[in-house]
Amino acid sequence: MERGYIEGKENIYLACRKRAAEYNDKLNSREMAAELLGFSTSTLANYELGVTKNVPPDSVVMMSDLYRQPELKNYYCKHECPIGKNLPMATKESGLQGITVKILNSLDDEEIKGMKKSLLSIAADGEITPDEQDEFDRIVKTLETLEKAISELRILAEKYQK
């Protein structure tokens, strides 16, 4: 296996630094990137080569901020954090048009009204009965789709705020 690659894919930490190097020449060099991050070169190399299996969250935040790659934090939460693995969260953004379509499709007025009525009906007795379970699961799935689209929008917003 080639160094810097994991399972045929480029390591996310290396890929993010390379994308950041397109606008910041200092990040072309692992040594300079490590210096800017306050890491040793070997520590950054271990992250980028997949030697370090559990990259500390504070290191991920620092790389995300320096590289201007907010999706790196979401990637970490979704793929490396045992708590975040099951949460509906985007690890990349699909562009403003794609995100807008996803959100507006999820906010269809008629569907929202129907979900509101169903959820109120389900919640009326304070429990989810077996005959309500399928409808409840459908509502949760719809809201998770919206939540994922919103997290994509947050990634995009963070990129443009910097």
Side-chain angles (χ1 to χ4, degrees):
M1 183 165 29
E2 190 174 334
R3 290 173 57 94
Y5 287 76
I6 296 176
E7 298 175 16
K9 289 185 172 182
E10 189 170 44
N11 176 290
I12 186 73
Y13 304 107
L14 177 59
C16 283
R17 180 172 60 81
K18 283 183 173 180
R19 281 196 303 270
E22 294 172 9
Y23 66 83
N24 183 344
D25 288 336
K26 292 178 182 178
L27 299 175
N28 277 316
S29 154
R30 182 178 287 149
E31 293 75 16
M32 182 56 74
E35 184 178 322
L36 291 170
L37 289 163
F39 302 164
S40 69
T41 303
S42 63
T43 296
L44 184 57
N46 287 341
Y47 296 166
E48 291 183 351
L49 299 173
V51 174
T52 301
K53 297 302 177 203
N54 295 309
V55 178
D58 58 326
S59 296
V60 175
V61 170
M62 290 177 6
M63 287 186 280
S64 175
D65 291 345
L66 177 65
Y67 302 162
R68 293 182 10 205
Q69 301 285 316
E71 62 270 28
L72 185 56
K73 291 182 276 194
N74 284 27
Y75 176 89
Y76 176 86
C77 290
K78 186 71 178 166
H79 297 284
E80 297 184 23
C81 172
I83 295 170
K85 286 183 178 183
N86 295 317
L87 297 176
M89 144 186 349
T91 56
K92 59 185 176 184
E93 48 95 2
S94 58
L96 184 56
Q97 289 175 326
I99 296 167
T100 301
V101 168
K102 288 177 195 174
I103 290 174
L104 293 179
N105 276 336
S106 296
L107 294 176
D108 176 68
D109 288 342
E110 294 303 315
E111 188 174 353
I112 293 289
K113 285 179 185 177
M115 282 193 324
K116 180 179 168 183
K117 282 185 175 183
S118 294
L119 195 53
L120 283 169
S121 174
I122 293 168
D125 62 1
E127 61 182 88
I128 303 166
T129 60
D131 63 307
E132 297 169 330
Q133 188 65 53
D134 286 344
E135 180 64 12
F136 182 76
D137 290 344
R138 186 190 68 74
I139 292 168
V140 169
K141 186 172 175 61
T142 299
L143 294 175
E144 285 176 345
T145 300
L146 179 59
E147 185 176 3
K148 191 170 181 181
I150 290 169
S151 70
E152 279 188 74
L153 189 63
R154 278 193 207 112
I155 290 171
L156 188 68
E158 194 171 326
K159 281 185 177 183
Y160 282 96
Q161 286 174 348
K162 302 225 174 205

